[in-house]
Amino acid sequence: MVRTGIGIRTAQQGNERLTGQIHVYDGEGKGKSQVALGVVLRSIGLGIQNFMESRVLLLRFLKGPGRTYDEDAAIEALQRGFPHLIDQVRTGRAEFFGPEEITKFDKQEAQRGWDVAKGAIASGLYSVVVLDEINPVLDLGLLSIDEVAKTLRNKPDHLEIIATGRGAPQPLLDVANLHSEMKPQPKPEGIEGIEGIEIYTGSGKGKSTSALGKALQAIGRGISQDFSHRVLIIQWLKGGNGYTEDAAIAALRKIYPNLVDHQRCGRDAIVWRGQQQEIDYVEAERGWEIARTAIASGLYKTIILDELNPTVDLELLPEEPILQALLRKPRGTEVIITGRCKNRPAYFELASTHSEVFNHKHYAEKGIDLKRGVDF
């Protein structure tokens, strides 16, 4: 059978950049803070692998004490596992508020957080600074957009900065090297998704990285409860060696050996539709058999099916068995599916959350080398 169409690049080669970039993740869809956590995990894993500590600051605006957030558990897992590498600062009040409800306290808390950010950026002590929810802070007028943009533009060369949240203002987007927008995808009328199925697709950066953030959340929930929140990460189209997620996942498995399982399948190569090899089909099916069994077992609280979408889009796997397995998944199991695809599979309609990541700007388009620990 002749197959034509897209090719999915699954491995990165060539020189790696040394200069840190400014990432902006915004939009109405889910996954922005998760992406930031995924970048943190990758950076730490790279540092462990190369015996070079990668220190991270998580600065969280508009997320003061008194309210819990999904990423709290993930950050707890990071801090327990790597207490000497993770610093966290939270600012703001716990409740949501709009432009007409801004108080003096809100402005003071935003400025307190920004003062910490400026000191961290200037210090040179951090490899990654996450400015979580700074986008709505700027959109609300709680900080000077010009000052923030100028500070980021003059950051140390090595520093990676991640800015998240809805409503990123144009001056911040102008200074950014990467801009990905998460857009929620509406469901067909009359169709309700199954709770616990999330899909991240699209051409922008942040899909697999967001899934890593979800893995951290599940591990953190287990730590704070009964250690039963086991995670399985299955990666298609990512055979061979050298993927930085592997170093990060290996570090987690060393610290939480009873919580994290990891399987990879595929060749370390670019797979083009119409040029698939027999091994591509064999490896895709091997990965799916592991996934199918894991979903049915109920042993895992979170199962990440990384790059399943392009695997199906390349016709390496049929849709129907995946659809049936998801329909029968245990109520307490979360399934996270990632990857871009040209043709939307039928199982997309089962998702309770579907975010499409749109690429508005990427430094690779300007010839800047990709960096292990951040880009792949």
Side-chain angles (χ1 to χ4, degrees):
M1 179 178 179
V2 177
R3 302 174 175 88
T4 60
I6 63 171
I8 304 297
R9 184 170 187 177
T10 62
Q12 301 286 355
Q13 295 179 342
N15 296 325
E16 298 172 19
R17 63 179 169 83
L18 299 177
T19 302
Q21 304 293 303
I22 300 170
H23 308 235
V24 174
Y25 299 96
D26 73 345
E28 301 292 322
K30 186 174 180 180
K32 300 179 289 293
S33 296
Q34 290 171 201
V35 170
L37 291 170
V39 172
V40 168
L41 178 60
R42 284 179 165 177
S43 299
I44 291 173
L46 178 67
I48 292 172
Q49 187 180 52
N50 294 335
F51 303 100
M52 297 174 60
E53 291 188 347
S54 181
R55 193 167 184 85
V56 176
L57 171 64
L58 294 167
L59 181 54
R60 305 169 70 192
F61 293 90
L62 304 177
K63 291 183 176 178
R67 183 184 180 93
T68 58
Y69 299 88
D70 289 342
E71 62 267 26
D72 291 348
I75 294 171
E76 182 180 359
L78 283 170
Q79 289 182 316
R80 289 202 183 195
F82 314 104
H84 60 302
L85 298 180
I86 306 293
D87 293 329
Q88 179 189 193
V89 175
R90 295 175 64 172
T91 70
R93 49 175 159 145
E95 63 269 20
F96 297 106
F97 59 91
E100 67 285 351
E101 302 168 308
I102 293 174
T103 66
K104 181 179 179 181
F105 175 79
D106 297 323
K107 295 180 179 179
Q108 290 175 337
E109 281 292 276
Q111 188 61 51
R112 178 173 72 88
W114 178 238
D115 288 343
V116 172
K118 287 191 295 184
I121 292 169
S123 71
L125 296 175
Y126 296 94
S127 58
V128 179
V129 171
V130 175
L131 305 177
D132 189 32
E133 301 296 347
I134 195 171
N135 297 343
V137 166
L138 295 173
D139 190 47
L140 287 166
L142 299 178
L143 291 174
S144 166
I145 297 176
D146 291 339
E147 180 187 352
V148 171
K150 180 179 178 181
T151 300
L152 299 188
R153 189 180 293 112
N154 295 323
K155 71 175 183 62
D157 284 346
H158 75 281
L159 180 61
E160 213 81 34
I161 293 181
I162 317 295
T164 76
R166 303 181 183 188
Q170 191 59 48
L172 182 61
L173 298 178
D174 290 341
V175 77
N177 306 108
L178 180 147
H179 174 206
S180 286
E181 179 185 4
M182 279 69 169
K183 292 185 179 181
Q185 296 303 296
K187 299 192 66 60
E189 187 175 352
I191 296 179
E192 294 185 7
I194 298 174
E195 190 65 32
I197 298 177
E198 297 186 8
I199 293 177
Y200 296 92
T201 189
S203 60
K205 173 179 166 55
K207 300 178 292 293
S208 297
T209 315
S210 185
L212 287 173
K214 287 292 293 188
L216 279 171
Q217 288 179 11
I219 292 168
R221 287 197 300 269
I223 290 172
S224 63
Q225 297 177 16
D226 57 6
F227 285 87
S228 66
H229 283 54
R230 293 182 63 187
V231 174
L232 172 64
I233 302 171
I234 302 180
Q235 296 180 290
W236 279 269
L237 302 174
K238 290 184 176 178
N241 298 304
Y243 290 90
T244 309
E245 299 102 307
D246 298 340
I249 294 167
L252 286 176
R253 292 179 68 188
K254 181 177 180 180
I255 298 170
Y256 308 114
N258 298 322
L259 294 181
V260 183
D261 293 325
H262 179 214
Q263 291 285 336
R264 292 167 54 182
C265 55
R267 291 183 291 129
D268 190 18
I270 302 172
V271 181
W272 293 99
R273 177 175 291 167
Q275 300 179 14
Q276 300 96 322
Q277 299 180 13
E278 183 63 28
I279 188 63
D280 297 325
Y281 294 94
V282 172
E283 282 291 284
E285 186 62 34
R286 180 177 69 84
W288 173 245
E289 283 302 308
I290 295 170
R292 180 184 60 80
T293 302
I295 293 171
S297 72
L299 294 176
Y300 296 95
K301 296 293 186 180
T302 298
I303 298 174
I304 294 172
L305 307 180
D306 187 35
E307 303 296 353
L308 178 64
N309 293 335
T311 302
V312 172
D313 204 28
L314 285 163
E315 301 179 31
L316 298 177
L317 287 174
E319 296 180 26
E320 186 61 24
I322 299 171
L323 185 71
Q324 294 302 319
L326 294 177
L327 284 170
R328 293 175 172 82
K329 82 168 185 67
R331 184 183 297 271
T333 299
E334 283 189 317
V335 179
I336 316 299
I337 304 173
T338 76
R340 68 178 69 188
C341 59
K342 182 179 180 181
N343 304 300
R344 177 177 294 195
Y347 60 76
F348 273 38
E349 295 183 358
L350 302 181
S352 58
T353 296
H354 177 196
S355 283
E356 185 165 359
V357 186
F358 287 82
N359 175 37
H360 294 293
K361 182 191 289 189
H362 199 303
Y363 37 79
E365 297 168 351
K366 297 184 177 181
I368 298 174
D369 292 325
L370 302 184
K371 182 179 182 181
R372 290 189 184 275
V374 177
D375 299 304
F376 62 97

